[in-house]
Amino acid sequence: MAVQPIRPFTDPVLRTVSEPVTTFDRALRALVKSLQATMRAGRGRAGLAAPQIGVPLRVVVYELDGKSGHLVNPRLELSERKIVADEACLSAPGRWWPLERSYMVTARGRDMFGKPATVRALGVLARVLQHEADHLDGTLFVDHLPEEERERFLASIP
């Protein structure tokens, strides 16, 4: 599968709410494989959402600590327990910022064949799933920061 360029933080597609997937066909399977190839093409990549390669569909892929997969039309159930840790985005490479997220998530959706899929995740993988699901709603991780910190982060992007 072809590795795709990752859209920068300033690309308007990252602010678009993605459409739900309604057809589980060869094109969807190709998209999932392309997302996986793109995610794996660089070091330190743990997740990727379809909007980050310019496709406004509700599809995410993840790979961390030997756990990998994808979710189509994911819905997240978040734990009340929160944790603050550094977070980054492939659309703003090389920049990290501390952000509070739920420590545990249960993500439910479908696989590329339309079969139900559930992922239970703790810690960093839970953060990755939350981050990628945000992309599907046109939300960037800096949107969760206090205004002053968000402005400092955005000012650091060329």
Side-chain angles (χ1 to χ4, degrees):
M1 284 292 105
V3 172
Q4 301 294 317
I6 294 175
R7 301 294 177 98
F9 231 52
T10 54
D11 191 312
V13 74
L14 296 179
R15 291 299 191 174
T16 302
V17 175
S18 297
E19 293 293 321
V21 172
T22 57
T23 304
F24 293 81
D25 59 5
R26 185 175 294 155
L28 176 62
R29 291 188 291 281
L31 172 61
V32 169
K33 290 176 183 177
S34 185
L35 283 165
Q36 290 170 330
T38 302
M39 177 184 61
R40 292 174 178 149
R43 293 186 47 208
R45 295 178 177 186
L48 189 64
Q52 290 181 277
I53 62 168
V55 179
L57 289 174
R58 300 187 75 78
V59 180
V60 300
V61 298
Y62 60 89
E63 182 171 62
L64 183 71
D65 297 333
K67 194 168 190 177
S68 65
H70 66 280
L71 285 169
V72 178
N73 300 331
R75 298 171 320 285
L76 302 186
E77 299 166 15
L78 307 175
S79 70
E80 291 184 24
R81 180 179 172 200
K82 308 285 185 190
I83 188 167
V84 175
D86 282 346
E87 192 160 323
C89 183
L90 297 176
S91 294
R95 289 169 181 76
W96 297 82
W97 212 268
L99 179 65
E100 182 178 81
R101 293 270 194 187
S102 289
Y103 176 72
M104 182 172 46
V105 302
T106 299
R108 300 179 197 281
R110 302 268 173 194
D111 70 11
M112 66 178 124
F113 302 102
K115 294 180 183 173
T118 300
V119 178
R120 289 178 180 80
L122 301 170
V124 177
L125 183 56
R127 178 173 297 277
V128 168
L129 292 172
Q130 292 169 79
H131 179 103
E132 302 311 333
D134 274 354
H135 276 302
L136 304 180
D137 293 327
T139 301
L140 300 174
F141 83 91
V142 297
D143 297 338
H144 297 291
L145 297 174
E147 185 176 349
E148 183 179 301
E149 289 182 49
R150 181 173 47 249
E151 288 174 6
R152 282 194 338 214
F153 179 89
L154 293 173
S156 75
I157 297 173

